[in-house]
Amino acid sequence: MASPLRDPTLEALLGRLHAQSDAQIDETDAYYERRKREGTLDEHGRFDDEMHHFFANKLVALDRAKAEFCYQLCRALRAARVVEAGTSFGVSTLYLAAAVRDNRVENGVVIGTEHEPKKAEIARANFAEADLGGFIDLREGDLRETLRDVGGPVDFMLVDIWDVALPALQLVAPSLREGAIVVCDNTAEDANEYVDYFAFVNDPQNRFRTMTVPFAGGFELTVRI
């Protein structure tokens, strides 16, 4: 299937980054299997120091199909303000920024957040290579601080970080405009890590409708109503 991006420079960069991320999958799977055997994984998916160290050089990029789906959703919404929780090396951020660019909306921006300074540095280099840095506001630090003020109504949010998925959504939820979409990755594969997240989006007082899109691992699509 042809990519909707139609940007040869961006496509070449994304091809390289996706290949790098795919090459790390076996190593990541083996790491989790070892931690499971040792019984040292946190039952709620929280990171310890060893896990932070292991993932410091891992892309953990959103699958290409899911990322292109996000691009299409942002184009359909004519999204102007997008929030991404969990930027890493900025692979999915590039798709979101391309959508904002292609929407040709005034003051369009993708607000990303990344805790690891080295990852943020590499992400910014990727943004510059794709000539998309002008559409991205990458904030370094704990997202419980960096997402306290998103500057206006939000049209689309990508949650691609499991240990603080709920705090991310809770912070941004007051800014989601009616009809805004929130997507969250791997909610079927790692369902036990999203129990509180599902409780939040299924609580009627929070004004959401949600369903799991059948991508690999599950991809939760939630609409503000």
Side-chain angles (χ1 to χ4, degrees), residues 3 13 56 65 70 95 108 118-120 126 177 195 211:
S3 167
L13 172 60
C70 290
Y95 287 89
K118 185 62 177 179
K119 284 191 172 185
N126 290 332
R177 55 101 164 162
V195 172
M211 66 180 296

Side-chain angles (χ1 to χ4, degrees), residues 116-161:
E116 298 287 344
K118 185 62 177 179
K119 284 191 172 185
E121 178 185 347
I122 295 171
R124 288 194 176 96
N126 290 332
F127 303 157
E129 182 176 341
D131 196 23
L132 288 170
F135 296 94
I136 301 166
D137 172 13
L138 180 57
R139 303 173 180 183
E140 290 185 47
D142 190 321
L143 63 75
R144 285 164 288 206
E145 298 298 327
T146 60
L147 295 183
R148 285 190 178 278
D149 181 5
V150 293
V154 172
D155 303 296
F156 183 88
M157 181 178 186
L158 168 61
V159 180
D160 193 18
I161 185 167

Side-chain angles (χ1 to χ4, degrees), residues 11-205:
E11 280 287 358
L13 172 60
L14 288 170
R16 188 173 78 240
L17 293 174
H18 278 298
Q20 185 180 347
S21 181
D22 291 346
Q24 296 173 342
I25 291 175
D26 288 345
E27 183 183 359
T28 301
D29 289 345
Y31 173 79
Y32 271 106
E33 286 303 316
R34 176 179 67 78
R35 293 290 303 265
K36 286 177 183 177
R37 289 195 305 271
E38 295 171 349
T40 57
L41 283 178
D42 183 274
E43 62 178 332
H44 300 294
R46 291 184 292 257
F47 276 31
D48 56 19
D49 290 342
E50 181 190 335
M51 194 170 287
H52 275 295
H53 178 75
F54 175 82
F55 279 103
N57 67 344
K58 302 298 185 295
L59 275 76
V60 201
L62 193 68
D63 294 348
R64 180 183 284 273
K66 295 175 182 177
E68 291 191 356
F69 184 60
C70 290
Y71 173 89
Q72 299 283 57
L73 290 173
C74 286
R75 292 302 311 277
L77 290 167
R78 288 196 54 77
R81 185 172 301 274
V82 174
V83 174
E84 177 187 52
T87 294
S88 189
F89 285 24
V91 178
S92 50
T93 325
L94 292 168
Y95 287 89
L96 300 174
V100 169
R101 175 198 63 189
D102 295 346
N103 283 339
R104 299 183 181 182
V105 289
E106 187 175 358
N107 299 319
V109 66
V110 178
I111 298 169
T113 181
E114 175 52 49
H115 189 267
E116 298 287 344
K118 185 62 177 179
K119 284 191 172 185
E121 178 185 347
I122 295 171
R124 288 194 176 96
N126 290 332
F127 303 157
E129 182 176 341
D131 196 23
L132 288 170
F135 296 94
I136 301 166
D137 172 13
L138 180 57
R139 303 173 180 183
E140 290 185 47
D142 190 321
L143 63 75
R144 285 164 288 206
E145 298 298 327
T146 60
L147 295 183
R148 285 190 178 278
D149 181 5
V150 293
V154 172
D155 303 296
F156 183 88
M157 181 178 186
L158 168 61
V159 180
D160 193 18
I161 185 167
W162 54 92
D163 54 333
V164 284
L166 178 58
L169 179 56
Q170 288 174 320
L171 282 169
V172 177
S175 297
L176 293 170
R177 55 101 164 162
E178 186 174 329
I181 292 175
V182 180
V183 294
C184 185
D185 193 25
N186 286 329
T187 51
E189 180 178 333
D190 302 318
N192 61 311
E193 297 172 6
Y194 290 99
V195 172
D196 292 340
Y197 184 93
F198 276 113
F200 184 81
V201 298
N202 284 303
D203 185 336
Q205 70 178 1

